[in-house]
Amino acid sequence: MHVIGLGNPGVKYEHTKHNIGYWVVDKLALDFDMNFKLGKGEYMFSKGPDINLLKKLNFMNNSGIAVKHYVDYFNININDLLVVYDDADLTIGQFKFRLKGGSAGQKGLESIIYHLKTDNFLRL
């Protein structure tokens, strides 16, 4: 499984709800004692025996560029992706798991759907 955390880079956004994907991926890296390294694109990644983690380094609206580079470089099956992002329709503490579907206006998801040419990937 490849867990992709969406967020925005920089201190300005570090503690905003928009970075929930980063928070989840950082917590998984800590729990599984994983370290990130720079990828061949605008992302950092960490490979483990059962889980791989990705943090894109570009802004939310360009998330699809980093995800597409990662997927192509490592020849990843789209069915093995889980994208973690903020959902404006949910209050903090609530979550929703979806197998596929549109972006519901979330710009990072819109970009990923556009660049992967599919909306058929897991999201949390």
Side-chain angles (χ1 to χ4, degrees):
M1 176 64 56
H2 301 267
V3 181
I4 299 168
L6 299 190
N8 280 314
V11 178
K12 178 179 178 182
Y13 302 101
E14 189 174 7
H15 299 291
T16 66
K17 180 181 168 188
H18 220 34
N19 275 13
I20 190 74
Y22 280 4
W23 301 346
V24 169
V25 168
D26 285 341
K27 177 66 169 131
L28 288 170
L30 182 65
D31 288 352
F32 290 108
D33 196 28
M34 299 170 72
N35 296 309
F36 287 97
K37 61 183 179 180
L38 289 176
K40 300 284 184 188
E42 295 183 63
Y43 61 88
M44 295 187 315
F45 71 102
S46 183
K47 297 186 88 155
D50 299 315
I51 189 170
N52 298 315
L53 307 174
L54 171 81
K55 285 176 68 173
K56 37 162 246 46
L57 298 174
N58 53 4
F59 285 94
M60 186 67 76
N61 294 0
N62 295 318
S63 296
I65 297 168
V67 173
K68 177 74 168 141
H69 286 159
Y70 177 75
V71 166
D72 288 349
Y73 185 78
F74 290 105
N75 195 29
I76 295 167
N77 185 321
I78 303 296
N79 295 325
D80 293 332
L81 297 180
L82 171 64
V83 178
V84 182
Y85 64 98
D86 70 302
D87 185 330
D89 294 336
L90 300 176
T91 58
I92 293 178
Q94 288 185 312
F95 63 92
K96 177 172 50 174
F97 183 76
R98 293 183 60 198
L99 300 175
K100 63 180 181 175
S103 69
Q106 212 283 353
K107 299 300 185 187
L109 280 183
E110 280 181 18
S111 178
I112 292 170
I113 292 167
Y114 175 80
H115 286 280
L116 295 182
K117 298 180 180 16
T118 185
D119 66 356
N120 194 20
F121 54 87
L122 301 174
R123 62 279 310 265
L124 178 67

